[in-house]
Amino acid sequence: MYGSRGAGGFAGRRMSAVVLGAALLITGCSSSDGGDGSDGPADAGAGITQQPKEKAPFWVNPDGTAAQQVAELEKSDKKREAEQIRKIAEQPTAEWIGPDDPEQQTRGLTEAADKAGRTALLVLYNIPHRDCGQYSQGGAADGNAYRDWVDGVAAGISDRAATIVLEPDALLHLVDGCTPQQFHEERYDLLKGAVTKLKSLKNTKVYLDAGNAGWQNPDQIFEPLNRAGIAQADGFSVNVSNFYSTEDSIAYGKKLSAKVGGKHFVIDTSRNGKGPYTDGNPDERWCNPPGRSLGETPTTKTADPLVDAYLWVKRPGESDGECKGGPKAGQWWADYALKLAKATG
C-alpha cells in the first residue's frame, strides 16, 4: 500500500531541465497566450498549449517529460504513438520539487505559470526518513535541513499563485508503523511548520496528504492531520500516486473531512481510470500495476462541493519504482505511459 512517489534521484535532473525551460519561457524565447487559454506557451516541438482556464486553472508545462516524448515520436514519424502520449502532455501535472536549490526551482515554475496566467501545481516530498527505505527513500538530512528547504520553496514562490500537495505518505507512515517512533514528534513539527510557512504566502494553497481509500480508516488518520496543522491548511489530498476510483476517493475524503472540521480535499485522478490492481503480490499492487488507465483530467469542476479539484499529482508514465520491469522511481517509462494512454477512452 505504500505508494512510491516519483522523486528519488531523478527529480534533481528532471527539475533542472524544467527550470531551464521555464526560464526560457519567461525571457521571451517562447510565446505566451497572456492567460486566455487559446495559444499557450510554445515548447521546442510538441506544440503543447494551456487548458481553458475555467476548466483547469493549473499550468501545463510545455516542455515537460511527456511533451518531450511527443516531440521525439513526431520526429521519428510515429504519429499514432505521439497522439497517445499527447493525452498526458496536454494536461496540467504536478511538478515535484527536488532537493537542490528549491528557491530556483519554484521561482522558475511559478514565474512560467504566472506568465501563462495559470497556477503552479507543486509537490513537496523531502521529509526526513521519507518512504521508510523503499523505492523513493531519501529526504532532507535532518529537521533543520528540511526547514531551510521549505524556506527556499517559499522564497521562490513569493506572491505568485501556487497549489501545493504537502509530503505524500508522511502522515500515513506514522500511523502504519513504517516510520520509527523516534521520528514522529519531529515530523509533526516539520509538517506544521511547513503549513505555517507556506500559508503565510499571499496566493498559496496547501493540502496535507491523507493517504487513500485503501486505508479505509479515517479514525486513525484524522488526529495526525490535526497535529500536523490541517486547521491552518486549505485541506488534504487523497489517492496520490495511487489507483483507487474517484467515487471511492470521494467517499473516503468525505468521511475524513467530517472529522477535521469539514475541510475540503483534492483527489489524484492521474491513473485511476480502471481502479486499483487486484492481482499479484498484495504488498506491491500499487507499484507499476498493469492494465491501468488515465483517470479524469484535471479540473476544478468536480462531483462534490467538498472536492476542490481532480489533479494529476503523479505524472502518468513515470515509474513507481523498480518493480514489474520498471526503472527507478520517478523515471519516465515510455512503454508504460503508452499503455496508460491507449487504455483510456
Side-chain angles (χ1 to χ4, degrees):
M1 194 163 68
Y2 309 136
S4 288
R5 303 309 187 183
F10 179 65
R13 176 165 55 84
R14 180 165 67 83
M15 283 305 307
S16 62
V18 167
V19 172
L20 175 59
L24 289 174
L25 291 175
I26 295 160
T27 55
C29 294
S30 298
S31 62
S32 172
D33 68 347
D36 66 3
S38 57
D39 290 302
D43 65 282
I48 301 302
T49 59
Q50 301 300 313
Q51 289 290 329
K53 194 171 184 178
E54 64 274 11
K55 177 199 172 192
F58 306 104
W59 180 59
V60 178
N61 182 354
D63 195 37
T65 314
Q68 293 174 31
Q69 179 79 69
V70 170
E72 290 172 8
L73 289 167
E74 288 181 340
K75 187 179 293 186
S76 301
D77 202 30
K78 297 180 179 179
K79 299 195 181 300
R80 288 186 180 178
E81 290 91 338
E83 286 308 305
Q84 292 294 334
I85 299 299
R86 188 175 291 277
K87 294 177 183 177
I88 298 171
E90 68 185 6
Q91 297 298 332
T93 308
E95 303 288 350
W96 296 63
I97 305 302
D100 300 325
D101 204 347
E103 183 173 350
Q104 178 189 8
Q105 292 179 50
T106 52
R107 180 180 294 113
L109 294 166
T110 56
E111 285 183 352
D114 188 63
K115 187 172 180 64
R118 301 298 192 274
T119 296
L121 178 60
L122 310 174
V123 181
L124 270 58
Y125 186 56
N126 197 37
I127 202 80
H129 318 292
R130 186 183 69 198
D131 205 38
C132 310
Q134 298 182 91
Y135 292 124
S136 290
Q137 64 182 290
D142 54 35
N144 287 333
Y146 184 76
R147 293 182 185 95
D148 290 344
W149 184 79
V150 171
D151 287 347
V153 168
I157 294 171
S158 186
D159 62 355
R160 291 176 289 277
T163 293
I164 292 175
V165 173
L166 184 60
E167 296 299 340
D169 272 354
L171 287 176
L172 188 62
H173 282 169
L174 296 182
V175 175
D176 67 10
C178 181
T179 300
Q181 183 67 41
Q182 64 263 34
F183 302 131
H184 286 205
E185 290 302 319
E186 178 188 59
R187 180 165 295 184
Y188 285 125
D189 181 68
L190 293 176
L191 291 171
K192 192 169 186 177
V195 172
T196 300
K197 181 69 177 184
L198 296 166
K199 284 304 299 174
S200 72
L201 303 175
K202 184 178 180 181
N203 292 304
T204 297
K205 292 185 177 181
V206 179
Y207 294 89
L208 269 165
D209 189 62
N212 56 69
W215 179 241
Q216 296 179 338
N217 201 337
D219 287 340
Q220 288 185 269
I221 196 80
F222 81 89
E223 188 54 39
L225 276 171
N226 286 331
R227 293 182 64 183
I230 189 65
Q232 192 175 355
D234 293 274
F236 56 91
S237 59
V238 301
N239 204 46
V240 172
S241 292
N242 225 301
F243 301 84
Y244 291 96
S245 72
T246 302
E247 181 181 7
D248 288 347
S249 295
I250 290 174
Y252 171 76
K254 290 177 75 170
K255 288 179 183 177
L256 187 51
S257 173
K259 296 178 178 295
V260 290
K263 283 290 184 178
H264 287 208
F265 57 99
V266 296
I267 301 171
D268 184 355
T269 60
S270 58
R271 305 180 298 176
N272 74 344
K274 294 188 183 301
Y277 184 58
T278 57
D279 295 328
N281 182 352
D283 291 337
E284 287 203 343
R285 285 173 176 167
W286 57 268
C287 189
N288 299 324
R292 303 306 93 193
S293 72
L294 305 174
E296 289 99 334
T297 54
T299 184
T300 53
K301 299 182 183 299
T302 69
D304 193 281
L306 281 175
V307 184
D308 286 346
Y310 302 147
L311 304 174
W312 283 11
V313 182
K314 170 75 174 183
R315 188 184 303 279
E318 291 184 357
S319 177
D320 292 315
E322 295 172 273
C323 60
K324 303 181 182 71
K328 291 182 178 180
Q331 289 192 3
W332 180 255
W333 189 3
D335 183 58
Y336 195 80
L338 192 60
K339 288 176 180 177
L340 284 173
K342 285 182 174 180
T344 304

